[in-house]
Amino acid sequence: MTTHSEAAHSEAVHPETMHAAGHPEGVPDGTAPTDQMVPDDRLLSALLDGMDAALFALDTTGRVTHWNQRAEALLGWTADQVVGRTGLGGWLVREADEAEALAGLLAVSRPPADGRPDARQVRQLPFRRADGGRGLMRVATTAIRDTAGRPIGVYCAFGEALAQLDLERDLALSAALLGEAAWGVLVLDADLRVVAANGRGADGLSAAPVGLLGEPLAEFLAGGFEELESALEHSLAGQPPRDPVELWITLGDDGLSGVAPFDDRPIEQRRCLLSGFLRLGSTVSDDDAPLGVAWIFQDVTETKRAGQGAARQRFRDSQLSRASRAAADCADPMDAAVLHLHYALAGFAEHALLDAARDVGGLTRIAESPGSFAGPTTARGVPIRYRAGHPALQAADCGVPVRATGGVSRSAWAQDHRWPSDVQHALCVPVRSRGRVLGALTFLRGDGRRPFDRADAAYGEEVALRIGTALDLARLLGASH
């Protein structure tokens, strides 16, 4: 098999062969002679003029040998005016500053005391413009040496000191953001692939910084990507959100491992990220196409959950207070107990069941909210045949709250516990009064709701204490009659 280089070599014709083939000059028809190469001085001039930095060169006597177009645009002096001039005084610097300025520029070509020549020196000098104005320039000088290592001149790249300082600040800011910044930072390209990430940004997605690079952002999220993608796309289009936005995301499956069903944390690793977006455009090109977008965020999940928990607790305290005031107007203590059930359900559960303990053992249904799921004719006082080990029986026997959640077959699990078929989570708390367990109170949640946690169990016990007081009063009144 012939490679591309081998084929090119086989097609090359030796000059003697071409002469024998009827090309007396050794060059095929229509082909320029190979000895017409670009002169070195023309190539050097083209390279200098094509640079983005302003640049001029001096020989060891201080004579200007090169002056590129960028220097002409910055200071106004043309190459015809400058090249060949000896010294800088009177035109580029003041006469009084010439000796110091020239010595500073040529210093890079002289070996220092330790014998090791400096590769590059940077200093700031005031340069004069052709229109008479002056500007502070940041000049970087590098020595030019011959093949023997002897200095033959210097070349000086310069730019406005303030502009260079702004550039250095921008670079320092970028390095700081992608370093140990207090905010997470992810830089994405136009295809929403991660091209840079700092440590906090990677931690926010539960991934290593190296593992993020080059990967689509969607691969690390199991939920919430639609809103994030919309914000990123608007930012790329030049319309980023003006204010920080709160985005709730759910991490991928890797972030969900090891979460117990009754852990105080939610089953899904949902995180609230206070986010800002910056469109990244090129500073050296006129192309309007964005280079990407920076996503800057801070994890405020704990703060948001604390605020939600405080608001939830205020609402529950309000419900307990309202239920107590309404129960105080009830002539029948059993009506007061049912009122407590109704008020407790709001925002807490879908069903509530109140079972009283029987003298012979077991539990008897005495109230339900929001009504009987077994039918409208269900009456109070019906014994409930719970199986052994039922959560309600455990709560009544042990005197402690019991939490339960459904398995794979939720409908069969709920029916086996004699609950509605849509139930997925249950909380059973004992009903106490005067040191005795009077029964069990059961709260039920359907599909799509989170399991009951410890805070929910504490609230359920508060409701059960008020219901226990009403049940005990009803028994005392019944005994007195």
Side-chain angles (χ1 to χ4, degrees), residues 251-481:
L251 300 183
D253 295 338
D254 294 340
L256 304 180
S257 59
V259 180
F262 298 112
D263 195 349
D264 289 337
R265 298 172 298 169
I267 289 183
E268 289 185 340
Q269 287 288 347
R270 299 186 69 234
R271 296 185 180 180
C272 182
L273 303 181
L274 183 63
S275 304
F277 303 91
L278 299 173
R279 183 179 185 270
L280 304 180
S282 175
T283 59
V284 298
S285 174
D286 296 333
D287 191 0
D288 292 335
L291 299 177
V293 59
W295 175 28
I296 305 175
F297 62 87
Q298 189 174 36
D299 193 339
V300 295
T301 307
E302 295 300 327
T303 303
K304 292 295 293 184
R305 292 200 184 281
Q308 291 174 351
R312 185 185 304 116
Q313 188 60 46
R314 288 194 298 270
F315 175 75
R316 291 177 178 179
D317 292 342
S318 174
Q319 288 296 100
L320 289 174
S321 178
R322 293 176 60 193
S324 297
R325 289 196 299 268
D329 295 330
C330 294
D332 186 353
M334 287 302 303
D335 292 338
V338 174
L339 269 178
H340 279 292
L341 284 184
H342 292 326
Y343 276 96
L345 278 185
F348 185 67
E350 280 79 28
H351 304 280
L353 313 175
L354 179 58
D355 300 327
R358 295 188 297 171
D359 296 336
V360 296
L363 298 173
T364 299
R365 178 66 44 79
I366 59 175
E368 299 172 0
S369 182
S372 174
F373 56 84
T377 60
T378 300
R380 295 176 180 175
V382 177
I384 304 299
R385 297 181 180 274
Y386 288 135
R387 63 171 178 80
H390 192 280
L393 296 178
Q394 293 183 36
D397 294 341
C398 301
V400 295
V402 178
R403 290 177 283 168
T405 191
V408 177
S409 180
R410 299 166 185 167
S411 178
W413 174 82
Q415 293 177 359
D416 182 56
H417 287 75
R418 303 185 68 83
W419 292 330
S421 58
D422 62 341
V423 169
Q424 185 177 355
H425 310 293
L427 169 64
C428 300
V429 294
V431 178
R432 298 191 190 91
S433 181
R434 294 191 297 164
R436 296 177 301 162
V437 176
L438 304 181
L441 174 61
T442 302
F443 294 100
L444 304 174
R445 286 178 178 171
D447 192 12
R449 298 286 298 274
R450 61 177 179 83
F452 291 97
D453 56 19
R454 293 178 183 177
D456 296 331
Y459 177 66
E461 287 183 296
E462 288 288 338
V463 177
L465 289 175
R466 288 162 171 76
I467 292 178
T469 301
L471 289 183
D472 197 14
L473 179 60
R475 288 190 177 187
L476 291 176
L477 292 176
S480 62
H481 290 123

Side-chain angles (χ1 to χ4, degrees), residues 40-63:
D40 291 343
D41 56 345
R42 295 288 185 87
L43 178 61
L44 179 59
S45 298
L47 291 175
L48 293 178
D49 290 337
M51 295 179 62
D52 293 328
L55 185 141
F56 67 95
L58 303 172
D59 61 14
T60 55
T61 65
R63 184 174 63 89

Side-chain angles (χ1 to χ4, degrees), residues 50-120:
M51 295 179 62
D52 293 328
L55 185 141
F56 67 95
L58 303 172
D59 61 14
T60 55
T61 65
R63 184 174 63 89
V64 180
T65 59
H66 296 85
W67 185 269
N68 73 348
Q69 292 182 356
R70 180 59 181 165
E72 178 180 341
L74 189 59
L75 297 178
W77 302 101
T78 65
D80 294 337
Q81 294 174 309
V82 170
V83 174
R85 299 183 68 162
T86 301
L88 307 178
W91 64 281
L92 189 61
V93 298
R94 297 188 306 174
E95 294 284 357
D97 299 333
E98 180 183 13
E100 181 181 357
L102 193 58
L105 295 176
L106 296 177
V108 72
S109 63
R110 296 190 293 269
D114 57 6
R116 292 179 300 176
D118 293 336
R120 182 173 178 266

